[in-house]
Amino acid sequence: LGPVTTSESKLKHLVPRLQEALVEHLGHDGGKRILSLAVERVLSRPYSMVIIWRLKTQDDLERIVSKTVVHHPENLAITDRANQAIVEYEILLALSRRFQQVEKCSVPRPLAIIPELETYIMEFVDAGNLADDLRYARYLAAREGFDCLAEHYYHCGCWLRHFQEFTGIRRAGPEVLDAAVDRCADRLRLIEQAGDRHWPAGLGERIMTFLHEQQACLSGEEVLVTGRHGDFGPWNILVGSNGITVVDFLGYREDTIAIDLLSMLVLLENECHCLTSSGKRLAAVRDRFLEGFGPVPPVQRPVLLICESLHRICTVWGCISQGRDDIRRRIERGRSLQHNRDWLSQLGKRKLLWPAD
Ligand SMILES: Nc1ncnc2c1ncn2[C@@H]1O[C@H](COP(=O)(O)OP(=O)(O)OP(=O)(O)O)[C@@H](O)[C@H]1O
Ligand SMILES: [Mg+2]
């Protein structure tokens, strides 16, 4: 094995099981024999352990990726609901076939699943992270880099439209919003517990009362639902010459059609709080994203209010829970926290980010 940097015992346990699963998978796939399987890199995250492996077979040397679910206390609502390795594996299997026909838009092809280890294996995507490319939306950044960034966001819009089409769009009762409202309550609880001086006591309760009223307004109505990525943002999008590849389907489920689109719009608005960001460039990136998506579907205002509130609440929690960092980042986080807090405290009186609002 190559150098192992973290969770030594978990890794030791995983390696032989993974090897076993791979031998079985590759045996079916043309009878290849594994000569060696070495750890190249371990990405130990709060919600997962991603390992990049070097796989040597008789006629090939390739990289593959395993992702193992971590049961983090902040994510138990998702990880206790179902085996998320199976959830991710299955949706990737369905989507990877469909995205084959879509230019510049893809998902990693899954290779095997080991349910008892809450692990699945997928192909390695040799690409950078779109979050790093947001630096091209700053003043004085290279024009070519910015054009490329805008193009990637256009493809993100295309990807989302196809994703919704592939997973299917249908009508459902307003109870589908329960998950979003519950997540708001959960994150607001954490925010209030943190006792940050920028978050007034009692605001969380006012917001929750407002969100329950919004849900009540929808009683007897139907809302549009589709597949939800659940964490649709540049941090989960890999970019290279083949366009964009969206990763990380942890928590995939059916949800309101507005949720993923608004996730990206809230993120792009939030980038404006970066001290060197160009508002004009970010607006152009947003327009390209929406152009890629195409016409937005009709969605009731209460649904939009719930979705946008959820993303803003998560943004506030992100600002509060972030560890110590440099002064510039602290200022940016402070700006973002205050802006989102002010939006939330206006209880629906502010303009929404949804393009038709
Ligand atoms: N198939 C892949 N090919 C190459 N890199 C990958 C692949 N899948 C995941 N990664 C890398 O691992 C990182 C983490 O994966 P993922 O987003 O699925 O897990 P996560 O627990 O949500 O982590 P994070 O909090 O960083 O988003 C990705 O940002 C990406 O850099
Ligand atoms: Mg992720």
Side-chain angles (χ1 to χ4, degrees):
L1 282 183
V4 174
T5 52
T6 174
S7 303
E8 201 90 23
S9 63
K10 193 157 192 185
L11 277 173
K12 269 188 196 144
H13 182 58
L14 260 179
V15 172
R17 304 294 295 274
L18 195 57
Q19 249 162 343
E20 211 177 283
L22 279 165
V23 168
E24 195 179 319
H25 168 78
L26 295 170
H28 291 152
D29 186 20
K32 287 188 215 167
R33 200 162 61 83
I34 296 175
L35 299 181
S36 67
L37 181 62
V39 173
E40 181 175 296
R41 202 148 43 97
V42 179
L43 306 166
S44 198
R45 311 285 210 209
Y47 303 145
S48 74
M49 181 156 75
V50 172
I51 307 177
I52 298 169
W53 304 82
R54 267 179 185 280
L55 171 71
K56 200 169 167 195
T57 59
Q58 277 156 310
D59 24 55
D60 231 345
L61 177 64
E62 61 177 318
R63 288 190 186 111
I64 53 166
V65 177
S66 68
K67 180 173 175 183
T68 305
V69 177
V70 168
H71 289 253
H72 189 278
E74 278 175 27
N75 233 13
L76 293 181
I78 293 174
T79 50
D80 284 356
R81 191 175 67 225
N83 183 332
Q84 290 300 315
I86 301 180
V87 171
E88 285 203 44
Y89 176 81
E90 285 181 347
I91 186 63
L92 283 177
L93 197 59
L95 289 176
S96 57
R97 292 187 187 126
R98 304 295 301 268
F99 270 110
Q100 268 172 10
Q101 303 124 32
V102 185
E103 229 186 304
K104 304 276 184 190
C105 294
S106 61
V107 297
R109 193 165 56 94
L111 301 174
I113 170 85
I114 318 172
E116 64 278 19
L117 292 178
E118 292 177 280
T119 299
Y120 72 95
I121 299 147
M122 62 187 136
E123 67 176 6
F124 174 74
V125 180
D126 199 2
N129 196 295
L130 182 58
D132 298 333
D133 285 3
L134 273 171
R135 66 183 186 277
Y136 292 115
R138 299 192 183 151
Y139 289 113
L140 304 176
R143 181 77 213 184
E144 307 85 75
F146 170 68
D147 290 343
C148 210
L149 175 74
E151 206 53 16
H152 289 323
Y153 270 86
Y154 173 78
H155 290 130
C156 291
C158 299
W159 186 94
L160 187 57
R161 178 166 47 83
H162 280 102
F163 169 65
Q164 298 191 338
E165 187 189 309
F166 294 156
T167 54
I169 300 170
R170 66 179 190 96
R171 292 183 182 281
E175 61 283 354
V176 293
L177 289 156
D178 286 351
V181 174
D182 288 350
R183 197 149 179 92
C184 288
D186 194 56
R187 289 298 179 257
L188 284 169
R189 203 164 28 244
L190 292 172
I191 292 171
E192 305 243 309
Q193 277 167 7
D196 191 283
R197 66 188 171 89
H198 295 104
W199 187 266
L203 178 56
E205 211 178 304
R206 278 176 54 222
I207 295 170
M208 280 316 297
T209 306
F210 173 72
L211 295 179
H212 284 130
E213 283 165 10
Q214 297 310 305
Q215 212 178 0
C217 289
L218 294 163
S219 157
E221 287 194 37
E222 286 189 318
V223 300
L224 287 178
V225 296
T226 186
R228 177 202 77 177
H229 177 276
D231 193 16
F232 189 62
W235 49 82
N236 281 326
I237 299 175
L238 306 177
V239 290
S241 52
N242 289 330
I244 69 152
T245 306
V246 179
V247 299
D248 194 6
F249 286 75
L250 186 119
Y252 168 80
R253 61 182 292 164
E254 195 174 57
D255 206 334
T256 145
I257 198 161
I259 196 103
D260 282 336
L261 191 101
L262 278 170
S263 167
M264 192 65 102
L265 295 182
V266 169
L267 170 281
L268 286 174
E269 188 211 59
N270 210 45
E271 271 301 304
C272 293
H273 303 302
C274 170
L275 292 171
T276 50
S277 279
S278 152
K280 212 167 129 194
R281 285 192 173 194
L282 282 170
V285 166
R286 173 184 182 273
D287 289 348
R288 285 294 278 157
F289 169 64
L290 289 171
E291 199 182 320
F293 185 80
V296 291
V299 181
Q300 297 97 321
R301 202 159 198 278
V303 176
L304 298 176
L305 275 166
I306 291 171
C307 294
E308 190 167 332
S309 297
L310 169 62
H311 294 311
R312 290 185 184 278
I313 290 166
C314 290
T315 304
V316 169
W317 172 238
C319 293
I320 289 177
S321 61
Q322 197 90 173
R324 288 168 171 273
D325 45 20
D326 60 54
I327 179 83
R328 189 178 64 87
R329 281 292 303 137
R330 280 213 302 276
I331 294 170
E332 290 170 352
R333 273 199 279 128
R335 282 160 50 119
S336 167
L337 195 158
Q338 286 172 34
H339 173 81
N340 286 291
R341 177 205 59 202
D342 292 348
W343 190 97
L344 288 161
S345 59
Q346 291 291 309
L347 304 177
K349 291 190 198 76
R350 290 276 188 90
K351 192 173 160 20
L352 304 182
L353 288 175
W354 192 253
D357 188 61

